[in-house]
Amino acid sequence: MTANATAERTAGSRLFVLNRTIPSPEELRELHDLEERLIASRVREIEAAAPDLPDRAALGRQMKELLKAEEADPPEFERVMAEDLDLEQFKEVVAQFAVDGLTESESFLPIVWRLPKKAKMAVFRVLIDEFGCGNLDQAHFNIYRDLMTELGMSLKVEDYLDRTNEETYAYVNTFFWAAARAPRPEYFLGTLCYLESSILYAFKCFAAAARRLGLKGARYYTEHLHIDHFHAKELQVAIREFDAEADLHPVKVWAGFKMASEVIGGATEAAVASALKAA
């Protein structure tokens, strides 16, 4: 990448590129600066405003309340996606999530060595599914490739770097930070727990749109609606085992959980807005 191209990158796009390279010392400083500005500072704000969470039980109640409230009051953009978007508009949604779907779960891998053994095993059971138990046909990133192939779209991540919303980058880059550089692993447990739990209702609009449009690639969304019920339980196991094996900081799990809610919802809303503009 040339110096001019680097300067032209948005902050989120640049951070995504740095997350997928072996950075030089200068680039590593740039990466840390971007993460501090785009992610870590917001996480600290959430943590400072968190409710009283003296233990894991209190944490569990807060997480359930947030999930229940979101499921009970779906935003309008989810209805628009499920009922209104045409094929070209839905392709724009798929394109907006390409930097995630084509690299799905790769950002999670650095968390493995950071967890105590039983919590590690619970997260690893999720990772095994994400990568199709070693079967390429079942790997989630490859199922996304199948959807994109059906839609006649490029499968090169690089082709989406300059068109992807900052909200999508906020979502993807948060997971890179939480897994690899967050000061405590609880932030990652919170972000992934929210993702796996919320997909059970948040992906319904994606699946509905894909089925309505007659796409075989609806499988990408329906597979998540099926398997993430198990994954959500495994993340609860991981949090429980972390509490038993180490010094769990519930407020940091909550900060990751709430941050994930913000960035994932924001990414979907922005993707639908882009799709409507594409019309």
Side-chain angles (χ1 to χ4, degrees):
M1 185 183 297
T2 66
N4 286 338
T6 299
E8 292 169 0
R9 287 268 184 242
T10 64
S13 175
R14 177 59 177 160
L15 181 54
F16 178 77
V17 170
L18 289 171
N19 272 319
R20 289 172 52 80
T21 62
I22 300 175
S24 68
E26 293 77 15
E27 289 172 331
L28 185 59
R29 283 191 289 272
E30 181 186 4
L31 184 154
H32 281 295
D33 288 345
L34 285 169
E35 286 189 333
E36 169 59 28
R37 176 160 59 91
L38 299 177
I39 303 168
S41 59
R42 177 56 187 149
V43 170
R44 288 196 299 272
E45 289 176 353
I46 295 171
E47 190 170 342
D52 184 33
L53 298 170
D55 52 30
R56 184 167 56 85
L59 169 66
R61 288 192 294 271
Q62 288 292 330
M63 292 193 296
K64 287 180 181 178
E65 287 178 11
L66 176 59
L67 294 170
K68 184 178 180 180
E70 288 186 351
E71 185 173 12
D73 186 24
E76 172 65 9
F77 61 80
E78 290 187 1
R79 186 206 62 77
V80 170
M81 189 192 308
E83 300 178 8
D84 296 345
L85 296 189
D86 63 26
L87 184 61
E88 288 302 312
Q89 292 170 325
F90 188 69
K91 283 178 66 174
E92 175 63 18
V93 172
V94 173
Q96 284 299 327
F97 282 102
V99 295
D100 173 47
L102 292 174
T103 65
E104 186 165 340
S105 301
E106 292 175 3
S107 63
F108 301 171
L109 296 173
I111 195 60
V112 174
W113 72 268
R114 304 184 63 193
L115 295 170
K117 60 183 184 301
K118 290 185 179 180
K120 187 198 313 285
M121 291 300 98
V123 170
F124 208 79
R125 287 192 290 273
V126 174
L127 293 177
I128 287 170
D129 282 339
E130 297 288 343
F131 290 100
C133 300
N135 180 349
L136 183 61
D137 290 339
Q138 300 299 323
H140 290 183
F141 72 86
N142 202 56
I143 300 175
Y144 204 78
R145 287 170 59 92
D146 290 342
L147 170 63
M148 298 183 77
T149 298
E150 182 181 5
L151 292 169
M153 301 172 69
S154 169
L155 303 182
K156 296 180 180 179
V157 175
E158 295 74 17
D159 289 343
Y160 299 93
L161 295 180
D162 295 327
R163 63 175 292 186
T164 299
N165 291 327
E166 282 294 275
E167 290 87 350
T168 302
Y169 283 125
Y171 156 43
V172 177
N173 289 328
T174 292
F175 279 86
F176 276 105
W177 170 83
R181 285 173 295 278
R184 294 275 304 190
E186 288 98 326
Y187 293 109
F188 177 83
L189 294 179
T191 56
L192 189 56
C193 185
Y194 176 82
L195 174 64
E196 302 292 357
S197 301
S198 65
I199 277 178
L200 299 174
Y201 53 85
F203 255 30
K204 288 180 179 179
C205 63
F206 289 87
R211 287 193 297 252
R212 174 172 54 81
L213 295 167
L215 296 173
K216 294 180 181 178
R219 176 193 172 206
Y220 175 78
Y221 305 109
T222 57
E223 172 68 13
H224 282 77
L225 289 172
H226 166 69
I227 198 65
D228 284 356
H229 177 71
F230 166 75
H231 290 176
K233 289 184 176 181
E234 287 296 338
L235 263 296
Q236 291 293 339
V237 171
I239 294 168
R240 183 190 71 209
E241 295 296 352
F242 194 103
D243 192 25
E245 296 179 275
D247 179 23
L248 181 76
H249 293 189
V251 69
K252 299 186 186 305
V253 180
W254 171 253
F257 194 86
K258 192 72 165 59
M259 180 68 174
S261 172
E262 290 185 4
V263 296
I264 294 172
T268 304
E269 182 176 15
V272 173
S274 294
L276 293 174
K277 289 178 183 178

